[in-house]
Amino acid sequence: MNVPTTPRPAPGAFLRTAPDWHRPLMATAALCAVVLAAALVGLAVDDRTLVGRPIWLKPAKFALSIAVYNVTLAWLLSLLVRWRRTGWWLGTLFSAMVLGELAAIGLQAWRGELSHYNYATPFDTAVYNAMAAMIVTAWTANLGIGVLLLVQRVGERSTTWAVRIGTGIALAGMAAAFFMTVPSDQQMVALENGGPGDVIGAHTVGVADGGPGLPVVGWSTVAGDLRVAHFVGIHGLQALVLLALLLVALGRRHPRLEPDAVRLRVVAVVGSAHAALLVLTAWQALRGQSVVRPDAVTLLAAALLAAATAAGLWWALRRRGGGSGRERNRATGRA
């Protein structure tokens, strides 16, 4: 059978064809760019804050993240050789859901209200419940796309497995957000005592949202923050795809990386390390520990992960692939 290889378009062709990868996803990415620009203006002229952060920072971060993810997903869907129509509809559903989520976040920012975990009024509750439904639908659509990518080749084996592993990590990273919807201990006490339940759920573990945090991302510097694992997971897809493409480019100049089998081993090692990092950051956050203040146990786990990754890369690069990359790309077989 004919095995597709990673596309290598002529200079300039890549960007020229980008709008046609998946028009709804790319259109949503373009709208995200508009929202990002508007949010940056808001940051410059609107001095309002919410839970200690500039009110337009959240729309800006979500717009950038959604744009990057949509462009990645659009490119991957353009590589499908089977079930392209199914992939198109799943991508369209995903783009509609994340665009709706971004619109809700922007609306609440304009109103000066929380977008997530907000049950203060019937309207806020309706907005948050709609967002929750859209997020679950988007996750399900992404899962369907992941299945399509799992059962077919989208390039060399190294690129194919980078996409498969990265998609799995991204789905896990999205799922990590569900931990944020669980009421904190303080919120549970208030609810059990019949107190106000204006906010149910939080990003941080151990303290209320809005405390000291890192610049821009806002991750807590005094308590656990589930957004770290959420970020690490969601953008694992981009990290592994970029790694695979970089390895292909380097393989043209460095004989050691020319065999696809060598690149595949590198992708497997880095993908495993990234998945472990997702677990490590989620575990650290759930223990109420700030990402910038790891204890001895966390540092030991991180050191073991770094050592295992280094050993894995040494093994991956030391072993030869058993043939040139060109020969392996022409070969037939199963992924």
Side-chain angles (χ1 to χ4, degrees):
M1 67 179 179
N2 295 324
V3 179
T5 58
T6 302
R8 299 176 183 178
F14 190 78
L15 292 179
R16 288 197 300 271
T17 61
D20 296 324
W21 291 343
H22 187 285
R23 290 187 178 277
L25 282 169
M26 295 301 291
T28 299
L31 288 172
C32 286
V34 174
V35 173
L36 175 60
L40 292 176
V41 172
L43 286 170
V45 303
D46 191 344
D47 59 359
R48 289 180 299 164
T49 61
L50 194 62
V51 291
R53 302 285 183 270
I55 203 163
W56 291 104
L57 182 59
K58 190 169 190 175
K61 292 191 297 183
F62 269 75
L64 179 59
S65 179
I66 291 172
V68 171
Y69 198 91
N70 275 27
V71 170
T72 305
L73 208 58
W75 177 69
L76 292 177
L77 286 171
S78 74
L79 302 181
L80 291 178
V81 293
R82 290 179 289 165
W83 301 302
R84 292 177 62 89
R85 187 171 183 81
T86 301
W88 188 91
W89 280 109
L90 288 172
T92 301
L93 178 60
F94 181 90
S95 65
M97 293 300 101
V98 294
L99 182 60
E101 180 190 11
L102 184 59
I105 292 171
L107 170 65
Q108 291 296 74
W110 176 72
R111 295 180 63 234
E113 301 290 341
L114 290 171
S115 56
H116 289 73
Y117 327 122
N118 190 351
Y119 294 89
T121 68
F123 181 80
D124 292 322
T125 301
V127 171
Y128 177 56
N129 286 340
M131 287 177 57
M134 287 186 285
I135 292 169
V136 171
T137 304
W139 188 90
T140 304
N142 203 359
L143 176 62
I145 293 171
V147 172
L148 297 183
L149 294 169
L150 181 65
V151 298
Q152 58 187 296
R153 294 277 290 272
V154 293
E156 294 94 344
R157 293 175 66 212
S158 56
T159 303
T160 296
W161 277 102
V163 169
R164 291 171 177 175
I165 297 171
T167 301
I169 293 173
L171 287 167
M174 292 180 190
F178 293 114
F179 287 110
M180 304 179 195
T181 64
V182 178
S184 66
D185 293 340
Q186 297 88 341
Q187 292 168 351
M188 283 297 298
V189 171
L191 290 172
E192 290 171 356
N193 293 332
D198 291 354
V199 177
I200 302 177
H203 300 126
T204 53
V205 179
V207 300
D209 285 347
L214 293 173
V216 183
V217 292
W219 298 338
S220 177
T221 56
V222 296
D225 199 317
L226 290 162
R227 289 174 295 184
V228 180
H230 189 51
F231 177 88
V232 169
I234 285 180
H235 296 295
L237 175 59
Q238 287 83 47
L240 286 179
V241 167
L242 288 175
L243 171 66
L245 296 179
L246 177 62
L247 290 173
V248 169
L250 291 175
R252 300 170 192 166
R253 297 185 177 184
H254 301 280
R256 175 66 65 179
L257 291 172
E258 186 182 7
D260 190 43
V262 173
R263 300 197 300 269
L264 175 60
R265 290 196 294 267
V266 173
V267 164
V269 170
V270 175
S272 299
H274 200 108
L277 180 62
L278 167 60
V279 174
L280 176 61
T281 52
W283 174 63
Q284 182 182 16
L286 290 171
R287 291 162 56 219
Q289 186 180 118
S290 170
V291 66
V292 298
R293 295 185 178 179
D295 62 11
V297 176
T298 303
L299 287 173
L300 176 61
L304 291 174
L305 174 58
T309 303
L313 289 174
W314 175 82
W315 164 81
L317 295 171
R318 182 173 180 270
R319 291 188 59 192
R320 295 190 177 276
S324 73
R326 296 184 183 88
E327 293 171 348
R328 305 181 81 82
N329 289 338
R330 289 197 298 266
T332 60
R334 299 182 181 273

